């Protein structure tokens, strides 16, 4: 057995880090990748996971990935999902006849081709503003330096955590049985503006004009309100094609405007300015 390096062991077992935002990112990506490789129990769960991927990677997912994935939600003459979406779904949910080993391979390949580059882009985006922390107790020669990444908000930015919550609400409302009527489409527009931070939708339309057009479209209530299977699938395609890219851009915009705010073990923000590295 090769000798162990005590310094390496200390890093592997550490709970506190001087640059905790950087230490948090690979853990987050690993969790998302584990969820993907396990497969999803519903099409809605895939959309919710794609939204979380956007916020956890600081909005670095290329828009084209959402556009490509949206096509997977459109049924063909025999199946209700494309091959990629079928592979994302577990065997009890997908309608295509895929061998489990094939589905596993497709999911791993997507993780390698999409998530891995996005993780690198996210880290480069994060590192330029990541704070470096030295605890007061360490200056006295006692205690841990830095913070525990597991106890911090997304990228140590509470504003991103808030945006994540806004996006979850804006996505859940139309997915959860659809909206009630055209009046609720207008109400949903309020959520959409906050969740996208006013960024344009996937087709380039500003969110205000997007809601106006949906409200005035004769099929707008069918697309967002009708809970029959066909319209539910159309709604999933529409959200992936138009709304998720705007969420992603909104996250990227906020990540560039907000600063780290570390949280103590009791959940209170420290309110201190870190040393920017």
């Amino acid at each position: 057995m090769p000798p162990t390096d005590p310094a390496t062991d200390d890093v592997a077992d550490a709970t506190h880090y001087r640059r905790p935002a950087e230490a948090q990112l690979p853990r987050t990506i690993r969790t998302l990748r584990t969820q993907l490789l396990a497969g999803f129990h519903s099409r809605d769960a895939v959309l919710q996971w794609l939204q979380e991927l956007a916020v956890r990677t600081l909005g670095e997912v290329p828009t084209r990935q959402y556009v490509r994935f949206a096509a997977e939600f459109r049924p063909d003459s025999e199946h209700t999902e494309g091959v990629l979406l079928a592979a994302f779904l577990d065997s009890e949910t997908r309608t295509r006849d895929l061998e489990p080993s094939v589905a596993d391979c497709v999911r791993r390949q997507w993780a390698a081709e999409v998530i891995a580059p996005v993780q690198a882009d996210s880290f480069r985006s994060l590192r330029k503003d990541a704070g470096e922390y030295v605890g007061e107790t360490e200056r006295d020669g006692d205690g841990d330096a830095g913070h525990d990444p597991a106890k911090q908000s997304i990228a140590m930015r509470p504003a991103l955590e808030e945006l994540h919550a806004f996006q979850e609400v804006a996505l859940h409302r139309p997915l959860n049985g659809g909206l009630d009527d055209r009046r609720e489409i207008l109400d949903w527009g309020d959520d959409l503006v906050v969740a996208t931070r006013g960024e344009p939708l996937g087709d380039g339309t500003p969110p205000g004009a997007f809601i106006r057009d949906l409200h005035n479209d004769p099929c707008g209530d069918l697309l967002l309100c009708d809970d029959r299977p066909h319209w539910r699938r159309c709604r999933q395609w529409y959200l992936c094609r138009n709304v998720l890219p705007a969420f992603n851009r909104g996250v990227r915009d906020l990540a560039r405007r907000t600063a780290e705010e570390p949280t103590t073990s009791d959940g209170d923000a420290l309110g201190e300015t870190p040393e920017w590295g």
Side-chain angles (χ1 to χ4, degrees), residues 107-256:
R107 291 195 294 267
R108 287 198 311 271
Q109 191 67 26
W110 200 88
E113 292 185 357
V114 178
I115 296 180
V118 169
Q119 178 179 3
D121 292 342
S122 303
F123 192 90
R124 284 194 294 269
S125 173
L126 180 67
R127 69 185 181 185
K128 66 181 185 300
D129 294 322
E132 187 166 319
Y133 302 86
V134 177
E136 292 291 339
T137 54
E138 193 203 47
R139 294 192 185 106
D140 298 332
D142 182 27
D144 293 323
H147 297 284
D148 183 353
K151 297 179 180 179
Q152 302 300 317
S153 56
I154 299 171
M156 296 184 68
R157 290 162 167 80
L160 285 177
E161 203 79 48
E162 291 177 355
L163 181 60
H164 182 28
F166 285 133
Q167 291 186 351
E168 286 183 313
V169 169
L171 187 61
H172 177 74
R173 285 184 68 181
L175 288 179
N176 187 31
L179 305 179
D180 290 337
D181 50 32
R182 290 184 183 274
R183 180 173 181 173
E184 194 176 0
I185 292 176
L186 297 177
D187 291 339
W188 181 62
D190 300 334
D191 295 339
L192 195 64
V193 170
V194 177
T196 62
R197 292 183 53 79
E199 289 293 310
L201 280 291
D203 61 358
T205 306
F210 179 77
I211 291 298
R212 178 202 64 203
D213 295 345
L214 271 176
H215 177 271
N216 296 338
D217 191 318
C219 292
D221 56 342
L222 293 173
L223 183 62
L224 286 180
C225 306
D226 199 303
D227 198 36
R228 286 175 291 179
H230 169 76
W231 289 107
R232 217 166 38 236
R233 290 192 292 268
C234 289
R235 184 156 56 246
Q236 291 163 344
W237 164 78
Y238 201 72
L239 292 170
C240 190
R241 173 66 176 78
N242 290 307
V243 174
L244 290 186
F247 282 0
N248 190 61
R249 283 192 284 264
V251 172
R252 186 164 61 246
D253 172 76
L254 182 59
R256 294 170 179 174

Side-chain angles (χ1 to χ4, degrees), residues 65-86:
Q65 296 298 340
Y66 290 110
V67 175
R68 290 174 180 172
F69 209 101
E72 298 292 315
F73 286 91
R74 304 187 76 168
D76 59 26
S77 59
E78 297 181 6
H79 306 94
T80 60
E81 74 275 332
V83 175
L84 179 59
L85 177 56

Side-chain angles (χ1 to χ4, degrees), residues 40-62:
F40 299 97
H41 300 306
S42 71
R43 295 157 63 102
D44 287 356
V46 174
L47 286 172
Q48 291 161 343
W49 181 85
L50 288 170
Q51 179 272 321
E52 184 156 3
L53 180 66
V55 73
R56 298 286 180 179
T57 58
L58 309 182
E60 293 294 334
V61 179

